[in-house]
Amino acid sequence: EADIYQTPRYLVIGTGKKITLECSQTMGHDKMYWYQQDPGMELHLIHYSYGVNSTEKGDLSSESTVSRIRTEHFPLTLESARPSHTSQYLCASSASTGVSANEKLFFGSGTQLSVL
Amino acid sequence: EDQVTQSPEALRLQEGESSSLNCSYTVSGLRGLFWYRQDPGKGPEFLFTLYSAGEEKEKERLKATLTKKESFLHITAPKPEDSATYLCAVQAVNDYKLSFGAGTTVTVRA
């Protein structure tokens, strides 16, 4: 059973606020990911990390930033939220190693963000 | 660029009415094709990985198959608890990430 946790589950905030979405996993996985998902649309990768002190931007342009100071923790921060940031944010981790390995992902339950 | 197209967008079934979901893909060398199930308000849950054409995987009422251009997810005698969105994703050789389709939302009525 995968153990990956996201908080908060729901967040409604005003424009211009700084927010941090939390993601933690207890499986010791090196690889972690942030995806953005809108209703009826594909999941889009916005950030990923191969391990501590490793972060990269994904395919989808995002104004968010991430950090990876500890293996288990991969928070995502928006410095100044805007209505266009309204979306579901999904965190995932993978036990695989190396670029070519099977990327079976374990997902958290997501954070639904609404920016007014 | 890798592309994944799923059809239909939505599928309404009567309990016991078997059907199939389609996932068409283009990728520069397939490392793996993945099927996930997503329930409302939750993150996707892994179902299967397929690696090469001709491969099949089964789990309860679900069976996934793979050809060089597409994958099918067959649902045999579905039950209401099979209602969910089913996502398909591909991983290219020497690539770290998965490219996802938009999903097929399956509703099974009792």
Side-chain angles (χ1 to χ4, degrees):
Chain A
E1 184 71 22
D3 294 313
I4 180 164
Y5 307 101
Q6 291 187 242
T7 57
R9 287 295 314 276
Y10 304 94
L11 182 61
V12 181
I13 60 168
T15 298
K17 298 292 186 183
K18 177 180 179 179
I19 61 166
T20 296
L21 308 184
E22 300 288 349
C23 177
S24 294
Q25 50 97 1
T26 59
M27 298 169 283
H29 290 169
D30 285 329
K31 292 183 178 177
M32 295 190 74
Y33 304 84
W34 276 102
Y35 284 87
Q36 189 171 335
Q37 184 182 32
D38 294 313
M41 303 294 288
E42 301 89 339
L43 276 72
H44 289 289
L45 182 68
I46 50 175
H47 295 284
Y48 66 98
S49 168
Y50 279 162
V52 172
N53 295 324
S54 153
T55 62
E56 299 288 343
K57 288 187 178 293
D59 293 335
L60 184 66
S61 175
S62 173
E63 295 163 342
S64 58
T65 59
V66 293
S67 63
R68 190 87 183 276
I69 299 173
R70 303 196 315 268
T71 297
E72 62 271 22
H73 194 213
F74 191 41
L76 181 146
T77 298
L78 278 166
E79 290 293 332
S80 180
R82 295 207 301 269
S84 60
H85 295 138
T86 294
S87 186
Q88 167 146 281
Y89 293 84
L90 290 164
C91 181
S93 70
S94 169
S96 62
T97 59
V99 174
S100 297
N102 173 1
E103 289 291 344
K104 173 183 172 181
L105 300 177
F106 296 91
F107 284 87
S109 292
T111 293
Q112 179 61 51
L113 174 65
S114 297
V115 184
L116 305 178
Chain B
E1 185 175 321
D2 303 338
Q3 285 196 317
V4 179
T5 303
Q6 291 187 247
S7 61
E9 291 183 9
L11 188 60
R12 294 177 63 87
L13 301 172
Q14 199 68 33
E15 183 172 6
E17 178 188 2
S18 301
S19 189
S20 296
L21 285 55
N22 178 264
C23 171
S24 297
Y25 65 92
T26 56
V27 64
S28 54
L30 181 69
R31 176 66 182 88
L33 184 140
F34 303 79
W35 282 98
Y36 285 83
R37 169 191 171 126
Q38 186 173 23
D39 293 305
K42 294 190 176 182
E45 179 182 353
F46 172 80
L47 291 173
F48 305 109
T49 306
L50 302 167
Y51 295 101
S52 58
E55 189 175 1
E56 299 181 351
K57 293 270 180 77
E58 287 190 65
K59 180 179 181 179
E60 297 180 357
R61 294 175 292 283
L62 301 177
K63 179 180 178 180
T65 62
L66 181 65
T67 72
K68 289 188 176 180
K69 293 184 178 181
E70 56 191 352
S71 176
F72 292 94
L73 184 65
H74 308 277
I75 309 178
T76 301
K79 297 182 177 181
E81 53 261 43
D82 294 322
S83 297
T85 296
Y86 292 87
L87 302 173
C88 175
V90 297
Q91 181 188 8
V93 173
N94 292 326
D95 198 352
Y96 57 89
K97 67 182 186 296
L98 303 188
S99 297
F100 282 86
T104 295
T105 298
V106 175
T107 304
V108 183
R109 297 166 290 174

